[in-house]
Every structure is written in C-alpha cells, then in structure tokens.
Amino acid sequence: MATNVKVVGTDLRQITVKVNPGTYLTDVLEQACEKLKVPSSKYLLKHKQKTLDLSNTFRTSGLAPGARLELVVRSNTPAAINVALQLPPPESNLFPPSGRVTDKLPSDLTLWQLMRQFESGKSSQGKNINITGRGVAQTSNGTAAGSGQLYYETPVLTIENRTLSTFADFQKTLSQLGYNSGSVLIRLSFRTTETTLADAMEQINQFFKTEEENKAQQSDHGPTASGEAPIPADATASNGEPSAPQADNPETDALSAAQEDGTNPSSAPQEPSSDAMDVDEPVSSDHRPVTIFSAPSSGTPAAALRDDSDEAFAPRIEHAQAHQRLLKTAGENKRLPSDQELEARAAAEAARVAAVKSIKIKVRFPDNFSAEWPFGPDDTGASLYAEVRKLMANNTAPFKLALPPGKTVIKDDSGPSSKLISGYRLSSNTLVNFMWDDKVPAEIRKQPFLKGSAAGKAQQVVIPEVPEVEGESEVAPSVNSKPEPKPNTGGEGSGFKKPKWLKGLGGKK
C-alpha cells in the first residue's frame, strides 16, 4: 500500500515523497534531493538521530508511514567497504573454490570504476578479466552468420534485488546505492545487446569522458592521467575478445606502461594514485591505542533537537535563593591570602598534578572526524603532534593544535615546559581543536583529511539516552509550600485563640 514520508532539508524546507513497501531508501533520497535541488551524492537520511541504511527498502527499514526524515550532509572522507564480486563461469573457474574476487574499496567509487578495479587490480591476483569490453559475434542457431559483426556484451550487476545494467547505472557510487560501511556482495552476469562494439565504445567514451577529465585535473600525476590515448574499437585481446577500454583507472595505466617497457607488471613500482585508499597501512607504530570517531551526520546539535517543555526553563524559588546567596557572598569584604596560604595552594596544586597518571585527549579535525589517545605524565606536545600526523593523509602540511576556545596553542616541542599534564595543567579528559596553518592552500584543505586506513576504522559516537523525568512540581511539593489556613468560624473551634494580655484591654475603665 502506498504511503508517504516527509523529508526536512538542511534549510528546514519540508517536502513529501511517496513510497511503496518495495521502494529503496536511496530512491527516497534521490527524489528528495531532486525536489530540493541539491546533489544526492552529498547527503544522507537520518531518523531520530540514527543514520538510515539506504540499501534497505521501506518495508525493511522499520519506518512508520508518514515518518519525518532529516537530510544531513555526508562526510567528505569516504569509508572503506569490503566488496565481493561473484563471477559467472568460465571466469569463476579462475578463482576456486567460491569463484569470487574480493577487495576493500572506498564508498565513493562508481560501479564502473569498481569493475575496472576488479579487471586488473590486486584482487584479481594478476589475472586479466575482461568485464567492460566484451564482444560477441553474431550467430544464427549456433553458427556464424553475416559478416561476423561483434556486438557489445554489457555487464549486469545484481545487488540484492536490484539489477544495474545501463551506463547511467554504472555512474552511481556505492554510497549512492546505500552502502557506506560493512560489506556487499555483487553478482556479475552478461547480456548481449543489439549495439555494435564500436558504437558501445563511443557511448562509453561519452558517458565517462567528463569523469576522466575531472580525475585528470585532480590527479597529482597529470601527464599520466591526461596523456592516455583511447584504445581503438577493433583492438582485441589475446583470446579473441576485445580488450577492455582504458577508462578511469590509474592502476591500468601503470600496468600498460610496464608492459610497454617489457618489465613484469608485478615487479614494476606503481605510482600512488590520488583516489586510492591505503587501507592496508598500519595506523600506529608505537602501539598507542587510538579511537577514531566519525563525523556527525547532522548539522544540528543533538541537544537542540530534544523536545523539552517550557516548564523546564522556568526559574523556581531555589534559583532565586541561590542568586541571593551569590550576591551576598560577593558583597562581603575579603582579605588577601597570606604567603603561607599561597604556598599551601601551590603545594596542593602540585600534588593534584602529580596524582594524575593518565588522561585522554580528543582532537577534532576539520572534517568533524575526531581521534582520542591516552597520554601519560612524560608525554609532551610533540607526542600529540606525532600521533595526529600518523592519521593525516597529507602529513607534511603545517598545522597547530589549540585548546578551547583557541587562545592557548600546544607547541610542537618535547621540552619540560611542553609536557601535557605538568606543563599545560591538563588533569582530565580534554578536547583539542585542529587548525590549519595560514600557509596551507585551499586545495589541500578540500582533500580528505584522514588516511583510508584510519577512516575505515571510524565508529559512530554513541549518544546516551537521557531518561525522561517527570516535573519536579509533580514529584515533590515546593519548598515554600504552606498548608492552607483554616477559615475562622469563631467559638472554641476557631483557628484563632485570643491571648491573655489582650483580654484585659476590652474591660471597663
């Protein structure tokens, strides 16, 4: 049965999207972003402070009809996803026993890039798999007919209950399909089309030309990315099938260059690409434990979304009494402390600092990711800077770490005065803000901040649920509450008794 949900944008605009039980939440996101005129690749959906899994349908998402969803900004740092590609026979026979190839890929990778990655990446174990450039000769009842024209055999990807087979579908990223964490299984099959191989190659160049140009501009190795020549349509592989077009995969560029030089591709050093994720590199070498927290998916603080009654903010008699005591204390004359009292305070402060054995420091990064480490009495500001550089994708850019509100800057120094506990007087868990140096260009600031290995280990910040407590006026009576006086009805039973000294005043004189 059809129903609808309400989606609230970041600018508080609200729209209504019609859904069916089988509607995927990715379709809801695309329809909402289309109505709000914002790109769907930069947003996620959230319901009651919980990020929704966009790969689920409306039936399996647990949402009620008419649910109110929030459109939140997606983090710039992509997450690492374990992707398994189930190959059809006879390609599956190359990877016994399951016939699958697996790899850990970023969530911002398109399906076309994913197939190109599996064609000649590390996951294929050096075996060349033709997925995107297959051609089949025209046959009639199993025999060759006509001039033997090659027709394009398009790949068909099946993810759960969804089938993707067009070039427009292949431009979608894993994140747009709802996969931002965990793992996903993709089943591969092929379907012969009525498009010739030459026409299909032209369409491929048309669909993915813009994407290749953008990557060539962002790549640090401009000549390698922009200088590749398109492969002609009649080029065939060694097995008689057309070779895959060289499109948007820097690893295939390095592989072809190594083959032209006559060297072994596996032994040739490969240039690091700008969009590759170094997920296999260790994060810390000195075994200092680190906890990485992902960026909040909502731009509104969680405290601002709570529904509190107006009575919770109404001042009570206790607040007025506390304010009066504060004014009275501030108005009293106080003498200056003596030398002995100052020495006692300094000794107490030194003892308090010496008693601190370990603290936790959380550093908040520009993309709202954060990391937390434990530090001891001997750790200095240089230790904190070194731990931050291990997580940075560009660890050569200058930066500084400041204590809130930003006036005190921790120095990158290992001297005694730069110790975190005794030097900066940090005695409890502390939050430190990461700030770029003024010399850092804007291009570096827009790039993903964390390494792929660090971003893949990020976890959500668990917000504790505050139990709802009834109003204090209902639980206990007020401090100044007095029993109502009984009405004065006169006589002995009245609430007022005449004193003895007042009785003689009304007598005769």
Side-chain angles (χ1 to χ4, degrees), residues 109-443:
L109 200 69
T110 63
L111 295 180
W112 185 265
Q113 294 174 341
L114 182 144
M115 291 186 290
R116 298 289 295 155
Q117 179 77 10
F118 280 114
E119 279 183 335
S120 57
K122 299 179 182 179
S123 57
S124 60
Q125 304 174 2
K127 300 176 183 178
N128 189 14
I129 307 174
N130 190 6
I131 299 178
T132 59
R134 298 168 65 99
V136 178
Q138 184 179 11
T139 59
S140 176
N141 297 328
T143 60
S147 60
Q149 177 68 48
L150 292 178
Y151 284 85
Y152 183 66
E153 194 174 22
T154 180
V156 180
L157 301 180
T158 304
I159 306 177
E160 295 182 358
N161 296 328
R162 284 179 290 184
T163 301
L164 307 170
S165 60
T166 63
F167 292 143
D169 294 336
F170 295 154
Q171 286 182 318
K172 295 181 179 180
T173 62
L174 294 173
S175 181
Q176 290 177 342
L177 295 177
Y179 299 99
N180 297 293
S181 61
S183 58
V184 57
L185 173 63
I186 302 177
R187 300 183 183 275
L188 174 65
S189 60
F190 298 98
R191 185 178 69 240
T192 304
T193 62
E194 297 180 356
T195 306
T196 61
L197 184 61
D199 296 340
M201 293 303 172
E202 294 180 359
Q203 295 180 11
I204 290 173
N205 294 332
Q206 179 182 359
F207 272 88
F208 303 104
K209 181 178 179 180
T210 305
E211 186 176 356
E212 292 176 5
E213 292 178 353
N214 295 336
K215 289 204 167 189
Q217 295 176 359
Q218 297 177 359
S219 176
D220 296 335
H221 308 281
T224 304
S226 60
E228 59 177 350
I231 292 182
D234 55 351
T236 57
S238 59
N239 57 357
E241 295 182 353
S243 60
Q246 300 293 330
D248 59 0
N249 193 353
E251 294 188 5
T252 57
D253 301 338
L255 181 62
S256 60
Q259 292 176 353
E260 291 176 0
D261 296 338
T263 58
N264 187 7
S266 60
S267 61
Q270 296 183 359
E271 293 290 335
S273 59
S274 60
D275 58 347
M277 293 188 65
D278 45 353
V279 294
D280 296 329
E281 296 181 0
V283 176
S284 179
S285 59
D286 56 353
H287 304 289
R288 186 189 298 272
V290 57
T291 305
I292 304 174
F293 300 97
S294 59
S297 55
S298 176
T300 306
L305 300 176
R306 290 185 53 188
D307 296 333
D308 295 328
S309 61
D310 295 339
E311 298 178 356
F313 303 96
R316 298 189 298 272
I317 187 63
E318 295 86 350
H319 301 152
Q321 292 175 352
H323 183 63
Q324 290 178 353
R325 289 194 298 268
L326 180 62
L327 294 178
K328 182 179 179 181
T329 304
E332 295 178 354
N333 294 329
K334 295 181 180 180
R335 65 176 180 85
L336 297 176
S338 61
D339 295 340
Q340 296 180 353
E341 292 177 347
L342 293 176
E343 293 177 358
R345 291 181 183 179
E349 179 66 17
R352 183 185 65 84
V353 174
V356 179
K357 302 301 180 183
S358 177
I359 60 173
K360 290 184 178 180
I361 297 181
K362 178 184 286 188
V363 180
R364 183 167 53 194
F365 302 125
D367 56 355
N368 284 334
F369 274 69
S370 58
E372 187 179 67
W373 299 270
F375 292 95
D378 298 333
D379 292 321
T380 61
S383 304
L384 179 59
Y385 275 80
E387 295 296 333
V388 173
R389 289 190 180 96
K390 294 176 184 178
L391 303 181
M392 295 175 58
N394 192 348
N395 54 10
T396 59
F399 64 94
K400 55 185 177 180
L401 302 176
L403 297 172
K407 297 181 179 179
T408 304
V409 177
I410 299 178
K411 297 181 180 180
D412 189 3
D413 187 17
S414 58
S417 59
S418 298
K419 290 187 176 181
L420 298 175
I421 295 179
S422 60
Y424 293 98
R425 302 293 179 178
L426 303 181
S427 58
S428 60
N429 298 344
T430 307
L431 175 65
V432 178
N433 293 323
F434 181 100
M435 295 187 296
W436 288 112
D437 193 83
D438 296 337
K439 302 178 182 178
V440 178
E443 292 77 8

